[in-house]
Amino acid sequence: MDILVCIKQVPETSKVEVDPVTGVLKRDGVDSKMNPYDLYALETALRIREKVGGTVKVISMGPPQASEVIKEAYMMGADEGVLLSDRKFAGADVLATSYTISQGVRQMGNIDLILCGKQTTDGDTAQVGPEMAEYLGMPHIANVIKIEAIKASSMVVEMDMPNTIELAEIKFPCLLTVEKDIYQPRLPSYKKKLETKDREVKVLSFKDFEDQNEKRYGLNGSPTQVERIFPPAVNTDKEIWNGSGAELAERLTAKLKELKFA
Amino acid sequence: MGRLVVNQDKVNAANIDELVKICPFGAIENNGGKIEVNAACKMCKLCVKKGPTGVMEFVEEEVEEIDKSAWNGVAVYVDHVDGDIHPVTFELIGKARELADKVKHPVYAVFVGHNIADKAKEMLHYGVDEVFVYDHEELKDFRIEPYTAALEAFINKVKPSTLLVGATTIGRSLAPRIAARFKTGLTADCTVLDMKDNTDLVQIRPAFGGNIMAQIINPNNRPQLATVRYKVMNAPARMAVAAGKITVCEMAADKLISAINVLKVTEKEVEASISDAEVIVAVGRGIKSEKDLAMVKELADLIGAQLAVTRPLIEAGWADAKRQIGLSGRTVKPKLIITCGISGAVQFTAGMNNSDCIVAINQDSRASIFNVAHYGIVGDLYEVLPRLISNIKEGKAIA
Ligand SMILES: Cc1cc2nc3c(=O)[nH]c(=O)nc-3n(C[C@H](O)[C@H](O)[C@H](O)COP(=O)(O)OP(=O)(O)OC[C@H]3O[C@@H](n4cnc5c(N)ncnc54)[C@H](O)[C@@H]3O)c2cc1C
Ligand SMILES: Nc1ncnc2c1ncn2[C@@H]1O[C@H](COP(=O)(O)O)[C@@H](O)[C@H]1O
């Protein structure tokens, strides 16, 4: 079975803050890592390969340095990786991102199953997977918590709903987004690191795609526009209490009584 | 639409580092004295606004404008499992009415399922002008292809300007699919929605993985799609009399085919969820060890509260993921929430800042949690909580 996992490089720290006075973004450190939720998708792919054989490929869209996450995927056991990178992809919102990745997927040969993480820690929309499935014309199931069975032309999975768990069979080719905890992700192996040291990361750019309409990529292919960014609102109707631990506890006790919570 | 242009002649040794630093996404690179913008660019245009004057320029490109007047109405997707309507639906109808009134549009609900005719009537008690019902046996369970097809049929028939979808398991799966089908924008997990006179939906959400809010619009595509989480908006009161009408729509058989077959649906054990709690005690990284959670739990039990936590505690394995408040956890709206040792990152506060009364205990007077708190207690939780607990136990109250 040929499996493709979508992985993204995200900033290590979530500490992007706006200076409330100047409105300028403050950034400390740009260390990056693989989106933690994508580790579960990759682990799921590796487990399926162990069971039924096949290949595990990974794909990522991002700046040139995002090839690091593909290397990381090699260290966990992925066979092949592609990075989609081009200035023309800059400024992409969900629609343009999923379209770009779907164009990349079309260059990757036969794929039976695409796995995505539940969401990213920077974009945090959980939308890229389902939008890609639409562009690739395949069915998808989101929030998969368990792989029950892999059959010749379909698989059986459990999907997590708020009050129920649904067991569903889905035909290949299809796309799944997997929940955290579906499997415990393995650590990158040193042995694999040595083995895959020279394995190439194939880079595809706009010129390699079928659709050569620039208007569908990057900012031009993004219907949403960020009009402004600003720090969150401050609640002005408030009291600040200072004092010793004992004083504060007394005041809080009294307040809770007053509000009838204690 | 448009693109960034670098005026390399204005780049010099004095301003190049400043420019590189201004980009929060590391998208601006210094390539031997020349500026290069890489694929990490999010087009936030900060480099244009805050960077050295004239270096970065944003050039608008001519685009054909769509006819917005051809799109009319604010629609709400009725989120349900087997006819059991999710309460986020009513919250969205309340919001839809508010938005629609600003531009004199009607409010629609679109209800997709099987044997739902009776349930559809219920929508008419919440201020919906028209409910469009797609009722087929194949639509009994949520399966992505026929559900998307139903929404596609609805959009083509009605041409709503805006479609609001609850950010539930189903909504988060369905809305992106529709957005891609109509090649339109979708903004996830909006916390504030407003309507411009020109029917552009103003969507505000925490963004860029940091303490920032982004205002997003979808200026040249329709329908405009947004998801909103449960408990972010307010549900209107149910009206005794029903108003509005129900329209049953047909779908072609070939639109109902799916490659998915739901084999079994198992009810989960119902447990008290923090989403429905009236009182919550939330704890964050200010707590030093897992065993200290017992102290917080004791306070929670004493005041009849549910215990909730921030994401780092989930990552440390100290609590069940169901107890996480925030953007990637649950949204809560209790009468009282006491946060202990929580810094107040926007991803956390986005999940709780609609609470009626917020009490925050943090020893750092500059912690951003104090921006949202009604009562900000600057102190050490290890000093305040034990005394608070014993005070409550003794039934003591000093005014
Ligand atoms: C895309 C994305 C989604 C996210 N989603 C969520 C989410 O859903 N929920 C969530 O919670 N986080 C989420 N986060 C993480 C979030 O940004 C913060 O990192 C997190 O909320 C911080 O948790 P905290 O306040 O417990 O820890 P910290 O930020 O470390 O704060 C600890 C606080 O405790 C105080 N403190 C320490 N000791 C004491 C003491 N003895 N007495 C009193 N105060 C003390 C400190 O002053 C400090 O303010 C998300 C991040 C990203 C990037
Ligand atoms: N730039 C990207 N490259 C590869 N995969 C991505 C990218 N962005 C998102 N994904 C995939 O889509 C999932 C959901 O992302 P998001 O919609 O950003 O929350 C992620 O867990 C990834 O599997």
Side-chain angles (χ1 to χ4, degrees):
Chain A
M1 185 150 98
D2 295 310
I3 310 170
L4 177 67
V5 188
C6 301
I7 59 177
K8 186 181 182 189
Q9 189 180 43
V10 297
E12 179 100 53
T13 61
S14 56
K15 284 273 170 342
V16 191
E17 281 176 42
V18 182
D19 185 318
V21 184
T22 60
V24 173
L25 284 153
K26 297 184 280 187
R27 168 169 62 111
D28 45 41
V30 281
D31 282 351
S32 301
K33 59 172 184 180
M34 194 189 308
N35 173 35
Y37 294 104
D38 297 344
L39 292 168
Y40 300 94
L42 182 54
E43 181 64 33
T44 305
L46 297 170
R47 299 275 179 126
I48 295 175
R49 187 186 61 188
E50 279 160 19
K51 226 177 172 162
V52 300
T55 59
V56 171
K57 300 176 184 175
V58 295
I59 191 168
S60 188
M61 168 179 141
Q65 60 268 30
S67 62
E68 283 161 33
V69 294
I70 292 179
K71 288 275 182 193
E72 198 181 325
Y74 289 166
M75 290 180 229
M76 287 174 67
D79 301 299
E80 211 180 286
V82 168
L83 174 68
L84 310 176
S85 195
D86 198 311
R87 265 202 62 185
K88 294 201 165 73
F89 304 157
D93 72 356
V94 175
L95 194 78
T97 302
S98 30
Y99 188 67
T100 307
I101 304 176
S102 74
Q103 280 289 312
V105 172
R106 289 176 191 276
Q107 302 298 319
M108 298 199 66
N110 178 64
I111 301 289
D112 302 299
L113 172 65
I114 300 180
L115 295 172
C116 284
K118 167 194 160 119
Q119 63 194 160
T120 53
T121 54
D122 63 342
D124 197 29
T125 72
Q127 293 171 349
V128 168
E131 292 212 3
M132 252 167 63
E134 171 68 20
Y135 277 132
L136 292 166
M138 45 173 82
H140 81 262
I141 295 184
N143 302 85
V144 169
I145 45 171
K146 197 171 170 200
I147 310 287
E148 263 306 316
I150 310 273
K151 302 185 183 174
S153 61
S154 69
M155 64 194 292
V156 181
V157 301
E158 266 184 17
M159 158 183 175
D160 191 29
M161 298 275 281
N163 303 315
T164 53
I165 290 178
E166 294 198 8
L167 187 71
E169 180 161 0
I170 183 165
K171 288 194 190 126
F172 300 133
C174 63
L175 182 146
L176 306 177
T177 78
V178 305
E179 281 283 336
K180 182 169 174 287
D181 293 338
I182 180 164
Y183 294 110
Q184 187 57 40
R186 68 197 62 193
L187 294 169
S189 111
Y190 184 66
K191 190 167 145 263
K192 286 232 161 57
K193 182 175 179 171
L194 294 182
E195 271 172 29
T196 61
K197 185 164 56 59
D198 301 319
R199 188 178 295 168
E200 84 156 319
V201 173
K202 194 164 155 193
V203 180
L204 295 181
S205 60
F206 172 71
K207 64 176 189 332
D208 301 306
F209 289 168
E210 250 167 55
D211 185 348
Q212 287 293 312
N213 182 354
E214 288 194 24
K215 290 214 154 65
R216 302 205 63 183
Y217 301 90
L219 183 76
N220 289 327
S222 300
T224 59
Q225 262 182 26
V226 177
E227 263 195 321
R228 65 184 180 113
I229 48 181
F230 56 99
V234 174
N235 179 5
T236 46
D237 170 28
K238 65 175 175 188
E239 290 178 19
I240 296 288
W241 300 353
N242 285 289
S244 72
E247 285 161 13
L248 292 170
E250 294 298 341
R251 279 185 79 173
L252 184 52
T253 315
K255 184 51 84 180
L256 293 182
K257 291 255 160 145
E258 183 194 319
L259 299 171
K260 302 203 165 43
F261 287 109
Chain B
M1 304 222 182
R3 63 206 158 83
L4 277 182
V5 174
V6 190
N7 293 318
Q8 301 285 4
D9 53 313
K10 295 201 177 140
V11 179
N12 55 43
N15 63 20
I16 193 157
D17 287 343
E18 181 194 345
L19 197 55
V20 168
K21 252 192 259 153
I22 229 161
C23 178
F25 310 107
I28 299 183
E29 289 174 31
N30 176 350
N31 191 350
K34 277 192 147 193
I35 286 289
E36 257 180 35
V37 181
N38 68 31
C41 171
K42 300 252 196 299
M43 285 297 169
C44 70
K45 295 178 227 158
L46 263 179
C47 53
V48 180
K49 289 180 208 146
K50 308 280 178 185
T53 323
V55 178
M56 303 299 291
E57 222 181 312
F58 185 76
V59 181
E60 294 278 354
E61 258 163 41
E62 282 292 315
V63 282
E64 211 178 302
E65 285 192 16
I66 61 154
D67 176 12
K68 290 178 188 171
S69 68
W71 298 82
N72 195 32
V74 180
V76 172
Y77 171 73
V78 178
D79 194 286
H80 72 102
V81 175
D82 228 354
D84 206 355
I85 299 171
H86 193 290
V88 72
T89 309
F90 301 110
E91 297 174 355
L92 293 182
I93 288 172
K95 192 67 200 182
R97 171 55 66 196
E98 207 183 298
L99 298 170
D101 284 351
K102 291 196 175 174
V103 287
K104 304 204 167 54
H105 275 201
V107 173
Y108 300 129
V110 49
F111 204 160
V112 182
H114 187 45
N115 287 335
I116 50 176
D118 274 1
K119 308 274 178 176
K121 288 197 194 117
E122 182 61 18
M123 312 307 303
L124 300 177
H125 290 273
Y126 290 86
V128 178
D129 296 305
E130 191 166 353
V131 187
F132 293 84
V133 175
Y134 293 81
D135 189 327
H136 289 273
E137 202 183 334
E138 291 89 340
L139 298 169
K140 182 177 178 300
D141 296 307
F142 171 68
R143 293 181 302 168
I144 195 66
E145 315 96 306
Y147 267 63
T148 310
L151 267 297
E152 181 185 12
F154 164 74
I155 291 170
N156 285 333
K157 178 185 169 83
V158 177
K159 296 220 175 304
S161 175
T162 293
L163 173 64
L164 305 179
V165 181
T168 60
T169 315
I170 290 177
R172 283 167 160 255
S173 190
L174 182 61
R177 197 90 201 194
I178 304 165
R181 187 155 301 181
F182 285 88
K183 301 191 173 53
T184 187
L186 164 60
T187 307
D189 299 337
C190 299
T191 53
V192 177
L193 291 175
D194 201 353
M195 187 68 84
K196 293 192 184 181
D197 293 340
N198 67 359
T199 73
D200 280 358
L201 184 67
V202 176
Q203 308 158 101
I204 296 180
R205 71 168 308 224
F208 301 141
N211 289 344
I212 301 169
M213 308 301 287
Q215 178 168 321
I216 296 165
I217 53 166
N218 198 343
N220 205 34
N221 287 271
R222 292 293 184 269
Q224 19 189 10
L225 268 69
T227 67
V228 180
R229 304 178 63 163
Y230 177 38
K231 295 236 171 185
V232 171
M233 306 297 174
N234 296 313
R238 187 181 189 278
M239 298 177 298
V241 275
K245 68 171 184 179
I246 294 181
T247 303
V248 179
C249 309
E250 288 302 320
M251 278 173 75
D254 65 330
K255 298 281 182 196
L256 294 165
I257 299 168
S258 173
I260 300 168
N261 190 5
V262 176
L263 306 171
K264 198 170 99 192
V265 178
T266 320
E267 291 284 328
K268 281 194 226 168
E269 267 178 53
V270 271
E271 45 193 311
S273 148
I274 57 167
S275 300
D276 299 316
E278 300 233 308
V279 186
I280 291 176
V281 177
V283 58
R285 266 218 304 236
I287 198 98
K288 294 191 178 63
S289 72
E290 190 177 359
K291 68 173 186 2
D292 296 345
L293 274 178
M295 168 175 76
V296 186
K297 183 83 180 61
E298 185 178 6
L299 172 65
D301 288 343
L302 275 173
I303 60 172
Q306 287 277 335
L307 182 73
V309 298
T310 60
R311 189 157 96 177
L313 270 62
I314 301 293
E315 281 164 3
W318 290 4
D320 189 285
K322 290 190 202 72
R323 296 198 178 270
Q324 180 188 325
I325 292 179
L327 204 56
S328 51
R330 309 265 161 126
T331 305
V332 299
K333 209 174 181 179
K335 296 207 162 71
L336 169 71
I337 180 166
I338 305 179
T339 72
C340 312
I342 291 178
S343 60
V346 70
Q347 293 87 5
F348 172 78
T349 57
M352 51 70 77
N353 57 12
N354 284 332
S355 306
D356 293 346
C357 177
I358 300 171
V359 175
I361 307 175
N362 193 312
Q363 62 190 13
D364 175 5
S365 63
R366 293 160 313 163
S368 44
I369 191 73
F370 292 129
N371 293 336
V372 299
H374 301 98
Y375 299 98
I377 301 180
V378 184
D380 184 340
L381 72 93
Y382 284 91
E383 288 175 20
V384 178
L385 290 193
R387 289 188 175 85
L388 178 65
I389 289 167
S390 64
N391 281 351
I392 294 174
K393 276 189 181 158
E394 288 162 20
K396 190 161 135 189
I398 299 162

